[in-house]
Amino acid sequence: MEFSNYLPLPLRGEHSIFYYLLLAVLGAQIIYSLGIGVLFFGKSSGEKRSNACYGLLLITFALTLLHYWLVLAGIYERYPSLYFIPIYSTLSLPTLLFYHVKLRLYPQYQLRRSDLKHFILPIGQFVFFVFMFFSSMDFKADYGRQFFNPFYGALEQGLFLSLFFAYLFFARRYVVQKRKNLRDKSELRKVLYARKLLQVLFYLFCIHTFFVLSDFISYQFWDLNLRSVKVFAALGILSFAAILFWLGVYGFQILLWGRKVLNEG
């Protein structure tokens, strides 16, 4: 069974100090984000559903980064039975971010049956990984990372990029609407914080999109696998980790002084 075609970095042979430094930085980021995410479930102030969405966002994002860490560390090569372990949840990230912002700005909003459509793809991706994880090794090897695989292929990457930008746009609309109809000036900081969250995420995600599209275009049109270029692959993963880093920084601020600065009850 061989998964090396799907790995973002060449894992055989000797590694430099920068390789181990990258593993250490990503590992620290994962642990930090998991900790902040768990703390959001115990947060007494603010809208409970919004806090839960942000906590899940950090945890899900950290577990997805953990998937890349396992790839880099060569764990999947040494233990191929772990391949498709259900920790890769890219399609959940845009939805959780959107509902965090929406419920934070409009805590009176009641979830409806129509909201379920936003969770179809995230649930589908999770079910797919659970099914694949418990499938036979031969089936995993034959299935691979096919282009039209909607949950772990080029199409999945396209869905992830498109959905993230789309939900950023939808979340920003709620921020703009809240700002225009703001009656209680005490909530202004809450709006400004949400706007800053989305602005920084937009720029960071544009950088990550550049790496994803560059790799896809170079491979499809010039048969050049940029994932085999260590510097490019490392920067690509770091661009993903940078998004999580900002989410963790923002979450830490909310935990630290959210009640006082943002007037959370």
Side-chain angles (χ1 to χ4, degrees), residues 25-262:
V25 169
L26 295 180
Q29 179 64 64
I30 292 168
I31 295 173
Y32 171 77
S33 300
L34 287 174
I36 296 296
V38 170
L39 289 177
F40 261 87
F41 287 93
K43 190 173 182 295
S44 58
S45 61
E47 214 285 329
K48 301 298 183 183
R49 297 170 300 169
S50 177
N51 292 340
C53 285
Y54 202 80
L56 280 175
L57 174 63
L58 285 170
I59 292 172
T60 304
F61 216 123
L63 290 178
T64 302
L65 184 60
L66 175 60
H67 163 81
Y68 290 116
W69 190 94
L70 293 173
V71 170
L72 291 174
I75 302 300
Y76 289 139
E77 280 198 325
R78 289 192 288 271
Y79 306 99
S81 61
L82 294 178
Y83 204 64
F84 286 106
I85 186 173
I87 59 175
Y88 185 85
S89 304
T90 54
L91 302 185
S92 301
L93 308 179
T95 301
L96 291 171
L97 173 65
F98 170 73
Y99 275 97
H100 161 70
V101 174
K102 183 176 182 177
L103 294 172
R104 185 176 182 79
L105 297 179
Y106 295 92
Q108 72 279 6
Y109 179 79
Q110 297 298 319
L111 294 174
R112 305 180 178 90
R113 186 174 300 178
S114 60
D115 290 300
L116 291 175
K117 64 180 180 290
H118 296 282
F119 297 91
I120 294 176
L121 286 176
I123 293 174
Q125 186 179 43
F126 178 75
V127 171
F128 168 79
F129 269 84
V130 171
F131 171 77
M132 291 298 295
F133 180 69
F134 289 104
S135 298
S136 67
M137 299 294 293
D138 292 337
F139 183 76
K140 292 181 183 181
D142 291 338
Y143 198 85
R145 190 165 189 170
Q146 301 171 8
F147 178 87
F148 289 105
N149 181 348
F151 298 117
Y152 198 53
L155 183 58
E156 174 266 328
Q157 284 292 301
L159 282 172
F160 172 50
L161 298 180
S162 301
L163 288 173
F164 206 97
F165 278 119
Y167 278 102
L168 277 176
F169 172 75
F170 296 144
R172 184 181 180 278
R173 288 183 60 185
Y174 279 104
V175 173
V176 173
Q177 177 181 321
K178 184 71 173 181
R179 179 67 184 273
K180 288 181 178 179
N181 301 323
L182 196 63
R183 297 179 180 178
D184 186 356
K185 296 299 182 181
S186 63
E187 293 192 342
L188 178 60
R189 286 183 176 177
K190 187 182 299 185
V191 175
L192 295 179
Y193 262 67
R195 186 178 68 177
K196 179 59 67 175
L197 168 66
L198 299 178
Q199 284 179 338
V200 176
L201 280 178
F202 173 77
Y203 293 119
L204 290 176
F205 201 75
C206 283
I207 296 174
H208 178 65
T209 301
F210 166 78
F211 284 99
V212 174
L213 293 182
S214 297
D215 172 59
F216 174 77
I217 293 173
S218 64
Y219 186 77
Q220 292 297 319
F221 292 96
W222 300 296
D223 199 27
L224 175 62
N225 184 13
L226 291 178
R227 295 187 180 190
S228 63
V229 181
K230 291 186 176 183
V231 174
F232 181 90
L235 291 175
I237 295 177
L238 285 174
S239 71
F240 186 80
I243 302 171
L244 179 57
F245 177 76
W246 166 241
L247 290 173
V249 169
Y250 177 87
F252 180 75
Q253 294 180 54
I254 299 300
L255 289 173
L256 190 63
W257 55 66
R259 184 190 296 272
K260 181 179 180 179
V261 175
L262 303 180

